[in-house]
Amino acid sequence: KAGVTQTPRYLIKTRGQQVTLSCSPISGHRSVSWYQQTPGQGLQFLFEYFSETQRNKGNFPGRFSGRQFSNSRSEMNVSTLELGDSALYLCASSRGGPGTGELFFGEGSRLTVL
Amino acid sequence: LAKTTQPISMDSYEGQEVNITCSHNNIATNDYITWYQQFPSQGPRFIIQGYKTKVTNEVASLFIPADRKSSTLSLPRVSLSDTAVYYCLVVLLDTNAGKSTFGDGTTLTVKP
């Protein structure tokens, strides 16, 4: 069974640009959540999607957005990049229904903003 | 979601048993305790989950006292490859599985 796949694994952008990251969940999983990890702030929740609907949202500015497609694949977008957006962006999938506490994480997309 | 508190770091030696304790004083009735392991530049990996008393799987044991305000992850006979960051989370096993609040984690260093 394939795991969670994130693309691209590494990318470099400059301030002001925008970036789109992609996540393919484990087959059959309907929930996809996104996290930002930085040395200073640790792992922070961005948002969660379930059946194409955003179900939860963390405390991030509107420059951070996401969506989920009918096949459960998800994308997140960051517009007007800032230096502080440099981080490892992690996607996690789960079955999404009651009783599903285990998150399966991908290896992440490491974004560097210059 | 309940806030968790765990030691920032721990050192151990190969072959020893390691116990990492996490406090979660505001845990709610429907919350479960979950532990994850993370290696550098990788996503966290689920280790174990429990509600009360004791849970054991092939890699770890989880001890939860009756008041559930704390929990202890026990790693038997650690090896160098167990050097990682360990996160304790309190998760509502309903619809919020995706909104897990990760604390600072405990950096475990296993020495030869």
Side-chain angles (χ1 to χ4, degrees):
Chain A
K1 195 174 189 180
V4 177
T5 304
Q6 292 188 245
T7 57
R9 290 292 314 281
Y10 303 92
L11 66 166
I12 299 173
K13 294 284 187 178
T14 57
R15 281 182 299 174
Q17 287 187 311
Q18 66 103 25
V19 66
T20 298
L21 309 178
S22 179
C23 173
S24 293
I26 291 173
S27 177
H29 284 191
R30 296 163 63 191
S31 170
V32 172
S33 52
W34 289 88
Y35 292 80
Q36 180 196 65
Q37 187 170 34
T38 59
Q41 298 297 320
L43 263 164
Q44 292 191 299
F45 172 78
L46 280 157
F47 27 65
E48 183 209 3
Y49 288 87
F50 179 79
S51 293
E52 301 179 66
T53 301
Q54 188 179 85
R55 191 160 65 173
N56 287 297
K57 190 176 190 303
N59 295 322
F60 278 82
R63 300 185 297 108
F64 292 80
S65 63
R67 59 178 175 169
Q68 186 180 33
F69 303 96
S70 58
N71 61 358
S72 293
R73 191 177 69 85
S74 177
E75 289 182 347
M76 68 161 284
N77 184 79
V78 187
S79 62
T80 320
L81 284 167
E82 301 176 0
L83 295 179
D85 296 333
S86 294
L88 180 67
Y89 289 88
L90 291 161
C91 165
S93 78
S94 69
R95 292 198 310 273
T100 55
E102 181 175 352
L103 296 172
F104 295 83
F105 282 85
E107 295 196 327
S109 293
R110 183 165 296 282
L111 170 65
T112 301
V113 181
L114 303 177
Chain B
L1 295 171
K3 179 177 166 56
T4 59
T5 303
Q6 39 182 138
I8 296 295
S9 64
M10 293 182 69
D11 290 343
S12 183
Y13 291 93
E14 282 190 292
Q16 289 188 331
E17 177 184 76
V18 170
N19 296 308
I20 306 174
T21 297
C22 176
S23 66
H24 25 79
N25 292 320
N26 297 323
I27 191 168
T29 303
N30 294 334
D31 288 339
Y32 282 68
I33 297 127
T34 310
W35 286 80
Y36 285 82
Q37 174 194 56
Q38 186 180 26
F39 298 111
S41 297
Q42 292 186 23
R45 183 176 69 98
F46 174 90
I47 301 175
I48 197 166
Q49 183 176 77
Y51 184 79
K52 62 180 180 181
T53 62
K54 176 184 175 182
V55 179
T56 298
N57 61 22
E58 63 275 9
V59 298
S61 294
L62 179 60
F63 298 91
I64 305 167
D67 66 5
R68 305 201 326 124
K69 293 184 183 300
S70 67
S71 59
T72 299
L73 174 72
S74 180
L75 304 173
R77 299 180 298 283
V78 294
S79 63
L80 296 177
S81 62
D82 292 317
T83 294
V85 179
Y86 291 82
Y87 294 96
C88 164
L89 288 77
V90 169
V91 180
L92 175 63
L93 278 193
D94 185 2
T95 59
N96 286 343
K99 189 183 179 183
S100 296
T101 300
F102 287 78
D104 293 331
T106 297
T107 299
L108 171 66
T109 304
V110 180
K111 304 174 183 178

